Amino acid sequence: MKKIFAILMAICMMASLLCVPTFAADDSVVMEVSGLKKDGKTIVSLNYWTKFADGWECAVDFAEDDDFMEEQDLDRIIVDFYADWNANGDGEFGDSSGDGFQFSTIYVPSDTKITINLNGHTINRGLGDNNEYDGEVICVNDNADLIINGGKSGDPFVKPSENPNNIPLGTIKGGNSDNGAGGIHIQDGARVTLNNVKITENAVDDDDGAGIAAYDGAVLTMNGGSISKNVLWCSFMSVAHPYGALYLNDATAYLNNVEIEGNISKGEDWAEGVAIYVDDSTLVAENCTIRNNGYKNAKKDPWEVVSINDSRVEFNNCVFEENGTKGDTGSPETITMRGGTLIIKKSIFRNNHSSDVIRCDDGLVQVTETLFENNPGNVYDGAADEGSFYEKCTFTTNYQYDKYRTFIFDEGNKLDFIDCVFDENTTFNDRSRATFNGSSAAASIFGEGSFSMIVAIVALIASGVAIFLIVDMKKKLVPAAVGDDSKTEDEE
């Protein structure tokens, strides 16, 4: 039966090729479905479509048919967008009974290989950040392989705010879910690659990833683009708090040249890891910007912007700035470690409104060649593992609650500072828990209130010197006693 179906498919494919000029000239064409040969270079057109739902259903049917893919020597199916795909008023992309849709969500079935070229267009589910309907924009099922190019394959990778050549950036938006992710839900063992894609204006209600959630062996690779303006709704006393614009659970993610910006937590409670939540996972971020992520209308004390739990996380040449929240809603930690390994290299932490810039409750923290500047928060070491260190780092004008209090130590191993530079306002609440090797001596040896103590000591020393000088001068000015005319033998 499958062979008969494959033959019919082949006939349809050849018939469609004869119709290419007619469809290509039709402005109503919204989608093209093609196949990529196993040589990785040759692309053959399979059909054009004037309705997104029909075109996507066809693409999925091709990708699921192993016999057809083998007979046509195809490695994967390619889908090109020629317009924006907007869901209907009920947030439905297509018929839930079709292979290409699940609960009206765009669905990538297990073990399929599909590439989407958005060509600068948008996929919008239109649910907003607080809607009666529920569902992510795209669900990628077990062991599927999905590539989404914001423009076309081969475009340079760019951040949305750094795009002088106007490289096309595609957009995925409008999902709202209480079961997984708002934007892209990546199931067990699936592989998703996003190139120059903006994941924006999606939401979750007391659930996992507002923008992207990946689970159980899934691998996410994101080059260029952004995860921005996604919302985590937190109801009061919810059993599970929302877990970040990017959520990883037993998964792996590689981010390169990505902006994670403007993601917020709303509602009556707080969220863990507003920007990034990493649990029993691996995350490597290169040349990324994590900016302006925080809380809005949260009535509870907020938690961290980046949450790391029993995971390995690396930030290389990344910028963290303007994260946290000014005002009465509180100030979360910028990064919190609860087990695992955190490695930071050649990065910048600047103007983050955080009670702690980096808080380590447990785990290994190694920070190299990184600038900490003008952060109203501490570096907190609760129980860092042996081998944690800050090397060739610079700390300047960091403070908390209008007091210069830079390093807080509670318990655990000593923290090493190697060739670091501290400004004169740097303080340590317990200097005995820190070791210094080649670091500058500008840091105060005292704890909180050190400046006042230094002033007092200097004043005390100055007073002692003044008293000594006055007494010495008085001694020199005292005249000889009256009537004392005795002389020594030499004088006589």
Side-chain angles (χ1 to χ4, degrees):
M1 186 68 184
K2 285 188 175 180
K3 289 187 176 180
I4 294 174
F5 180 75
I7 293 170
L8 291 174
M9 282 293 213
I11 294 172
C12 292
M13 180 189 72
M14 289 184 290
S16 67
L17 292 175
L18 297 175
C19 299
V20 168
T22 302
F23 279 107
D26 188 346
D27 291 338
S28 65
V29 170
V30 297
M31 180 183 289
E32 179 183 3
V33 178
S34 305
L36 177 66
K37 292 284 189 178
K38 290 181 180 178
D39 63 10
K41 300 177 182 179
T42 306
I43 297 175
V44 293
S45 178
L46 301 178
N47 217 329
Y48 287 89
W49 296 92
T50 59
K51 293 182 179 179
F52 277 109
D54 293 342
W56 180 253
E57 192 70 45
C58 173
V60 168
D61 287 341
F62 280 136
E64 282 191 301
D65 189 340
D66 295 337
D67 290 338
F68 173 78
M69 296 292 287
E70 185 66 30
E71 289 172 7
Q72 300 301 318
D73 195 35
L74 298 180
D75 178 65
R76 62 195 305 124
I77 295 300
I78 299 177
V79 178
D80 275 280
F81 280 51
Y82 298 138
D84 295 342
W85 188 0
N86 297 304
N88 64 23
D90 294 333
E92 297 171 340
F93 284 112
D95 187 351
S96 290
S97 64
D99 291 340
F101 303 96
Q102 188 179 72
F103 304 109
S104 302
T105 293
I106 297 172
Y107 183 63
V108 181
S110 299
D111 303 309
T112 57
K113 298 173 72 174
I114 299 176
T115 294
I116 298 175
N117 295 320
L118 288 174
N119 294 299
H121 292 294
T122 296
I123 304 176
N124 182 10
R125 189 153 191 182
L127 297 181
D129 66 2
N130 190 10
N131 196 287
E132 60 179 307
Y133 298 105
D134 169 65
E136 56 262 14
V137 180
I138 299 174
C139 180
V140 185
N141 206 8
D142 301 356
N143 302 311
D145 184 341
L146 174 67
I147 299 172
I148 303 179
N149 296 309
K152 294 283 287 187
S153 177
D155 286 340
F157 302 140
V158 295
K159 300 176 183 176
S161 65
E162 302 172 4
N163 190 10
N165 296 320
N166 295 318
I167 302 298
L169 300 173
T171 302
I172 295 172
K173 63 185 293 187
N176 189 333
S177 178
D178 58 11
N179 182 27
I184 302 178
H185 187 150
I186 309 173
Q187 297 277 37
D188 306 1
R191 302 179 68 87
V192 173
T193 302
L194 306 177
N195 300 318
N196 293 334
V197 176
K198 297 186 291 184
I199 309 295
T200 186
E201 298 177 40
N202 302 284
V204 287
D205 190 357
D206 291 331
D207 207 67
D208 298 340
I212 301 174
Y215 303 88
D216 299 332
V219 178
L220 167 69
T221 301
M222 192 168 181
N223 300 302
S226 63
I227 303 173
S228 65
K229 299 179 182 178
N230 299 286
V231 177
L232 298 95
W233 280 98
C234 316
S235 63
F236 180 64
M237 295 297 290
S238 60
V239 176
H241 298 286
Y243 290 118
L246 171 62
Y247 172 88
L248 303 175
N249 187 324
D250 190 22
T252 300
Y254 302 99
L255 309 182
N256 174 37
N257 224 33
V258 176
E259 289 179 335
I260 302 177
E261 181 174 11
N263 301 287
I264 62 173
S265 171
K266 287 185 178 181
E268 298 180 340
D269 218 325
W270 38 258
E272 296 185 39
V274 174
I276 301 173
Y277 181 90
V278 190
D279 185 40
D280 193 24
S281 298
T282 297
L283 168 65
V284 178
E286 305 261 1
N287 307 312
C288 293
T289 301
I290 298 90
R291 178 192 297 121
N292 196 30
N293 302 282
Y295 292 77
K296 185 176 182 180
N297 302 327
K299 296 180 181 179
K300 289 280 186 177
D301 292 336
W303 279 25
E304 57 274 2
V305 172
V306 177
S307 179
I308 302 169
N309 303 276
D310 298 319
S311 299
R312 180 179 179 84
V313 175
E314 296 184 29
F315 292 107
N316 301 319
N317 196 31
C318 293
V319 176
F320 295 78
E321 61 183 3
E322 299 291 344
N323 295 291
T325 306
K326 299 178 182 178
D328 296 335
T329 56
S331 300
E333 289 82 18
T334 303
I335 299 179
T336 296
M337 277 283 294
R338 298 187 186 88
T341 299
L342 172 63
I343 297 176
I344 302 174
K345 298 178 181 178
K346 297 182 179 180
S347 296
I348 296 173
F349 290 79
R350 180 186 291 128
N351 299 328
N352 295 286
H353 307 283
S354 309
S355 56
D356 301 309
V357 181
I358 297 177
R359 178 185 180 96
C360 180
D361 293 330
D362 181 30
L364 182 71
V365 177
Q366 297 182 337
V367 186
T368 307
E369 296 182 69
T370 294
L371 171 66
F372 296 82
E373 181 179 32
N374 198 35
N375 299 289
N378 309 305
V379 173
Y380 175 90
D381 178 30
D385 291 348
E386 185 176 356
S388 295
F389 62 77
Y390 288 77
E391 182 176 7
K392 296 181 180 179
C393 295
T394 300
F395 301 87
T396 179
T397 59
N398 301 289
Y399 59 93
Q400 184 185 43
Y401 309 132
D402 300 323
K403 298 176 182 178
Y404 289 100
R405 188 176 68 168
T406 307
F407 291 95
I408 305 297
F409 301 94
D410 277 357
E411 58 187 31
N413 297 295
K414 288 186 176 182
L415 191 61
D416 293 331
F417 295 91
I418 306 166
D419 296 329
C420 291
V421 176
F422 306 98
D423 72 356
E424 67 276 8
N425 297 306
T426 303
T427 61
F428 297 83
N429 77 313
D430 186 353
R431 191 178 175 90
S432 67
R433 291 193 175 277
T435 60
F436 300 88
N437 182 5
S439 297
S440 71
S444 169
I445 63 171
F446 304 103
E448 194 173 337
S450 59
F451 183 73
S452 298
M453 186 175 290
I454 291 172
V455 172
I457 292 174
V458 171
L460 182 62
I461 294 173
S463 298
V465 171
I467 293 172
F468 173 80
L469 291 175
I470 292 172
V471 171
D472 186 64
M473 289 179 63
K474 285 184 177 180
K475 285 182 179 180
K476 291 181 179 180
L477 294 174
V478 173
V482 176
D484 184 4
D485 54 0
S486 60
K487 297 181 180 179
T488 65
E489 292 181 358
D490 291 338
E491 287 176 325
E492 290 178 349

